[in-house]
């Protein structure tokens, strides 16, 4: 799928989680619901770090373009080193390493560890990166026509404000993990969810997605998971633009309303 659809699906997924936890009697504080949805929207772009033309490659100028090139080469190297007898040869790393459940879990765990050990500035950095990505995905038309510096300033300002809100007592810094020193441990959860939602979205397209790696399926270690061929669509097609994106908007709205009803 394209960047805007990925971001919408990420935000909708976190809002759905908010509704589910609320229905289970453990509602999220509203700042966790909002911040988590924005982080998840940004994280849903991150698996495309292996693609030099993806939305994320433009988000941070030369830095993100260089990083995408590095991740593309790394992913391609891992693919070549681990491919099974049934896996085809490839010329690049797109939709390989960063499009797996293992990558999602490792990135989420690393983010949680950084948030817990790195203190306020680490939290601000995590928020800044993902809020910039959320702007690039959710407000992509405005982001394309605006200066990168304005987008970065919006991300930095929003990160500073939201971190301050979360730090207020009862607003969610210690949500879910209440032990001493566990503040912001939950920040890895929307990142894992965003990456997995991205993978599921790509699995619906023509090429499928190797979500299960490194678990082999038949003779393939990089098996492209997806529905039957007749049910798949091309990225950017009318199915994505006219069906899925409106559906994500509706589901996200319902999830948000469900979560807020219990707060």
């Amino acid at each position: 799928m394209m960047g805007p659809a990925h971001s919408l699906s990420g935000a909708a997924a976190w809002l759905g989680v908010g509704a589910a936890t609320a229905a289970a009697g453990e509602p999220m504080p509203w700042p966790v619901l909002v911040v988590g949805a924005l982080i998840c929207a940004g994280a849903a772009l991150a698996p495309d770090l292996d693609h030099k033309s993806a939305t994320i490659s433009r988000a941070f100028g030369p830095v993100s373009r260089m990083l995408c090139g590095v991740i593309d080469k790394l992913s391609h190297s891992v693919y070549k080193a681990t491919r099974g007898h049934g896996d085809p040869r490839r010329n690049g790393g797109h939709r390989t390493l960063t499009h797996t459940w293992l990558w999602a879990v490792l990135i989420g765990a690393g983010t949680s560890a950084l948030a817990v050990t790195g203190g306020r500035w680490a939290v601000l950095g995590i928020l800044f990166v993902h809020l910039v990505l959320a702007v690039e995905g959710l407000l992509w038309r405005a982001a394309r026509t605006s200066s990168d510096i304005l987008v970065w300033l919006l991300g930095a300002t929003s990160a500073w404000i939201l971190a301050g809100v979360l730090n207020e007592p009862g607003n969610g810094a210690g949500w879910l993990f209440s032990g001493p020193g566990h503040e912001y441990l939950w920040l890895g959860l929307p990142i894992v969810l965003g990456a997995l939602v991205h993978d599921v979205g790509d699995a619906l397209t023509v090429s499928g997605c190797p979500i299960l790696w490194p678990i082999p399926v038949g003779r393939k270690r990089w098996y492209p998971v997806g529905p039957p061929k007749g049910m798949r669509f091309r990225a950017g097609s009318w199915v994505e633009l006219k069906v899925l994106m409106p559906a994500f908007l509706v589901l996200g709205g319902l999830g948000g309303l469900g979560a807020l009803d219990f707060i």
Side-chain angles (χ1 to χ4, degrees), residues 9 50 53 69-70 81 84 95 99 103 105 111 132 158 160 184 197 206 233-234 255 259:
S9 67
D50 60 5
S53 299
V70 171
R95 288 203 188 183
H99 287 69
W103 175 273
V105 171
T111 301
V132 168
S158 301
W160 188 272
Y184 295 110
V197 168
V206 173
F233 59 89
R234 293 191 178 278

Side-chain angles (χ1 to χ4, degrees), residues 3 10 26 38 64 101 127 149 153 156 165 179 206 214 223 227 229 249:
E26 296 291 339
L38 292 172
S64 53
W101 70 269
L127 291 177
I149 294 176
L153 285 173
V165 172
V206 173
Y223 183 81
K229 296 288 186 181
L249 282 171

